[in-house]
Amino acid sequence: MKKFGCHVSIRGGYLAAAKHALAIGADAFQFFPKNPRSLSVKEFDRDDAEQCKHFCKENGLFTIAHTPYPTSITPHDDKKDVTISSLLNDLLIADTCGSAGVVVHFGNKISETDPLASYHLMLEMLNRVLSQWNGACKILLENNAGKQAALGTTLEELVQIRNLSDHPEKIGFCLDTCHAFASGLWNGNDTEILVEKANELGYREHLVAIHLNNSMHPYGSRKDRHANIYKGGYIKSNDLEDLMDAFKDVPFVLETPHEFGISHEEEIAQLRGLN
């Protein structure tokens, strides 16, 4: 049976987030471990986080966390230390909640003259963070839509960063379907080719979660705007379903919009009907 879920709020705490996910029919969920607009280090309620972990284990809930919006693994020099502290904080919170990983966006282009500068900085940041981290929770590198200098749009890049890091065993991947479509990585009807490449490169074996999102913009647009699975998107529903079948053992987490009158509960119910 495939696992389906969505991003949920921690407004009422971590345990409350897990209970909400279960109540809407999810068996997977994603959350921000702290304020999504801040890189501050959060003094969190460990008891609440531990209760979340036990609740998820008892109810078969898979969870991942997502770093706050300002997080970048290609930061300016004056942001390196605060970013590292924030990432370690995210990992600790997520690990205490029993999450499999913390999703981090691939980095951005930082130099017009040195094409490798961004990759070197990403490796520096990952090495500094993971040399201090010994928990079970992994950093999950997410593919980009390509809107900022087109870094992180290929499986080769993601795999190579993992391979070259000092701690590859602490790094996994999260595939975003909207980003893959927008960047040109996957056109919807070439899932077989995507899977073959993922297997050949060693990406597939370290794929921990999939962000299941449709795209409000056409293939190759490099625009990161999510659409609902069955309404308002450019990715055909049967193409998304083919991808789900190809990666059926990987949990699927919705990051789809609410403003069009479609709730995550409704979408999960629709997806559940595919099992």
Side-chain angles (χ1 to χ4, degrees):
M1 293 284 286
K2 302 182 186 76
K3 283 185 177 287
F4 295 109
C6 60
H7 189 98
V8 299
S9 170
I10 61 160
R11 188 174 293 112
Y14 304 114
L15 176 60
K19 288 182 175 179
H20 172 71
L22 190 67
I24 64 172
D27 40 29
F29 69 92
Q30 176 181 272
F31 63 98
F32 287 120
K34 58 195 178 197
N35 184 344
R37 304 191 183 283
S38 172
L39 291 177
S40 61
V41 171
K42 179 179 180 178
E43 292 294 332
F44 66 103
D45 185 335
R46 289 174 180 264
D47 184 58
D48 179 39
E50 289 282 359
Q51 288 184 56
C52 173
K53 179 178 181 177
H54 294 314
F55 182 86
C56 290
K57 186 174 182 180
E58 289 172 0
N59 291 278
L61 280 169
F62 170 89
T63 76
I64 53 174
H66 198 299
T67 55
Y69 298 123
T71 307
S72 170
I73 53 172
T74 49
H76 295 296
D77 287 344
D78 62 343
K79 290 288 187 182
K80 283 184 180 180
D81 289 342
V82 69
T83 300
I84 289 167
S85 295
S86 179
L87 275 167
L88 286 167
N89 185 227
D90 294 337
L91 284 164
L92 177 59
I93 295 171
D95 197 54
T96 309
C97 287
S99 300
V102 175
V103 178
V104 181
H105 290 161
F106 202 84
N108 300 316
K109 186 176 181 180
I110 62 170
S111 173
E112 295 298 329
T113 57
D114 182 359
L116 296 179
S118 298
Y119 302 106
H120 289 155
L121 180 53
M122 278 183 253
L123 287 168
E124 176 195 338
M125 293 293 293
L126 289 169
N127 290 340
R128 288 181 63 184
V129 170
L130 295 175
S131 66
Q132 301 175 64
W133 176 245
N134 294 307
C137 190
K138 295 183 178 183
I139 278 185
L140 306 180
L141 295 176
E142 180 177 1
N143 57 304
N144 284 340
K147 63 179 181 177
Q148 294 178 312
L151 294 188
T153 61
T154 67
L155 299 187
E156 286 85 353
E157 289 173 276
L158 288 117
V159 169
Q160 189 71 335
I161 287 294
R162 182 185 183 278
N163 289 345
L164 292 175
S165 71
D166 291 343
H167 304 279
E169 74 283 359
K170 300 178 184 180
I171 298 174
F173 304 115
C174 176
L175 177 71
D176 188 297
T177 55
C178 171
H179 297 178
F181 186 76
S183 68
L185 173 63
W186 170 66
N187 67 20
N189 59 23
D190 60 351
T191 296
E192 190 174 324
I193 295 172
L194 177 68
V195 172
E196 184 177 346
K197 179 180 286 189
N199 288 334
E200 288 177 356
L201 293 171
Y203 176 90
R204 176 67 181 82
E205 62 188 290
H206 302 293
L207 180 61
V208 174
I210 291 177
H211 283 164
L212 187 64
N213 302 306
N214 210 318
S215 174
M216 284 194 180
H217 296 283
Y219 169 74
S221 65
R222 293 189 178 180
K223 294 181 179 179
D224 181 9
R225 185 80 189 279
H226 300 176
N228 294 104
I229 300 303
Y230 292 108
K231 185 177 180 181
Y234 275 88
I235 308 175
K236 296 176 182 177
S237 57
N238 61 302
D239 289 338
L240 279 167
E241 289 167 9
D242 286 345
L243 184 138
M244 285 183 263
D245 285 339
F247 294 104
K248 59 187 176 182
D249 59 325
V250 181
F252 299 94
V253 177
L254 295 163
E255 296 178 315
T256 47
H258 293 282
E259 59 261 37
F260 304 108
I262 303 171
S263 69
H264 281 149
E265 184 172 9
E266 290 175 279
E267 288 189 291
I268 289 169
Q270 287 178 300
L271 293 166
R272 184 79 63 226
L274 302 174
N275 271 330

